[in-house]
């Protein structure tokens, strides 16, 4: 059953790469928020906020999935075949994309919650450094594995599964009330 699902996924990935990656990213971002609500925050089913999980899905589908797809294509074109390509990809990813992604994520979630510019700016100011430091505890090694061992067409999928756990953390950080 799993192998059939994987073959079906790979066919969709081949035929509709951006849509498939966007759908996968949106689904796993929504799942990360669900796990955060139910396990980390212990809200229970009665306290579960489906709209909140929907925001994560929308951001993953519309922004994050397509963005990382094209980011990986760009990194591959820029560095593939060069000396120390993997190290260059990881360094570029962590120095350029990570800070950018965190700002896009926090801003996007604020926009989807209907927050003001000042509220979004306040959350970025409050949470950016902590999230970036924690990012550097997880993502450099994950991206090294991704860029070194995972074929280009499967990199977004690999990152999405690592990001399932990262999304639990991001959901908790972005949704906590100060």
């Amino acid at each position: 059953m799993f192998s059939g699902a994987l073959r079906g996924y790979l066919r969709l990935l081949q035929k509709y790469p951006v849509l498939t990656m966007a759908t996968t990213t949106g689904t796993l971002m929504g799942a990360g928020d669900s796990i955060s609500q139910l396990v980390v925050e212990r809200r229970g089913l009665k306290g579960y906020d489906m709209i909140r999980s929907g925001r994560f899905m929308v951001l993953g589908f519309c922004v994050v999935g397509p963005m990382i797809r094209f980011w990986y294509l760009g990194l591959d074109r820029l560095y593939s075949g060069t000396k120390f390509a993997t190290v260059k990809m990881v360094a570029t990813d962590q120095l350029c994309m990570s800070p950018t992604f965190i700002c896009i994520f926090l801003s996007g979630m604020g926009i989807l919650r209907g927050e003001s510019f000042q509220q979004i700016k306040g959350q970025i100011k409050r949470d950016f450094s902590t999230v970036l430091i924690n990012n550097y505890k997880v993502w450099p090694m994950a991206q090294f594995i991704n860029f070194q061992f995972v074929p280009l067409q499967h990199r977004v999928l690999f990152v999405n599964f690592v990001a399932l756990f990262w999304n639990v953390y991001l959901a908790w950080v972005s949704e906590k009330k100060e």
Side-chain angles (χ1 to χ4, degrees):
M1 184 170 132
F2 178 74
S3 65
L6 181 61
R7 280 193 304 276
Y9 174 81
L10 293 175
R11 276 193 302 274
L12 287 172
L13 187 62
Q14 184 77 30
K15 193 169 184 177
Y16 309 104
V18 176
L19 181 60
T20 302
M21 290 178 195
T23 302
T24 304
T25 302
T27 301
L28 290 173
M29 284 186 73
D33 178 67
S34 297
I35 293 167
S36 180
Q37 288 189 59
L38 297 171
V39 177
V40 176
E41 300 166 39
R42 299 175 193 221
R43 297 174 124 211
L45 291 176
K46 288 186 178 184
Y48 178 75
D49 184 351
M50 192 178 303
I51 302 288
R52 177 179 140 175
S53 292
R55 287 192 297 264
F56 277 79
M57 290 180 80
V58 166
L59 190 68
F61 180 81
C62 295
V63 178
V64 178
M67 179 177 73
I68 59 176
R69 153 90 172 147
F70 291 110
W71 175 249
Y72 289 160
L73 286 172
L75 284 177
D76 197 65
R77 285 188 187 122
L78 188 61
Y79 296 122
S80 191
T82 66
K83 194 172 188 176
F84 305 113
T86 301
V87 173
K88 291 174 185 175
M89 286 182 190
V90 171
T92 303
D93 183 69
Q94 292 304 298
L95 295 173
C96 298
M97 179 54 87
S98 290
T100 303
F101 172 81
I102 292 166
C103 286
I104 289 170
F105 173 80
L106 293 172
S107 299
M109 292 310 295
I111 290 166
L112 291 172
R113 281 190 300 266
E115 293 176 349
S116 70
F117 175 75
Q118 290 300 348
Q119 289 172 305
I120 294 168
K121 189 171 132 183
Q123 183 173 24
I124 291 171
K125 187 175 181 180
R126 182 185 72 227
D127 295 331
F128 177 83
S129 296
T130 302
V131 174
L132 186 63
I133 289 166
N134 287 324
N135 167 88
Y136 290 142
K137 295 174 185 175
V138 174
W139 286 106
M141 181 56 71
Q143 291 294 46
F144 181 86
I145 292 166
N146 194 25
F147 297 136
Q148 182 67 35
F149 302 110
V150 179
L152 178 61
Q153 70 270 23
H154 302 306
R155 287 183 184 158
V156 173
L157 182 61
F158 174 82
V159 162
N160 278 333
F161 280 106
V162 175
L164 176 61
F165 302 101
W166 180 247
N167 290 332
V168 172
Y169 168 73
L170 287 179
W172 175 74
V173 167
S174 69
E175 296 294 326
K176 72 181 178 202
K177 304 296 180 225
E178 292 293 317

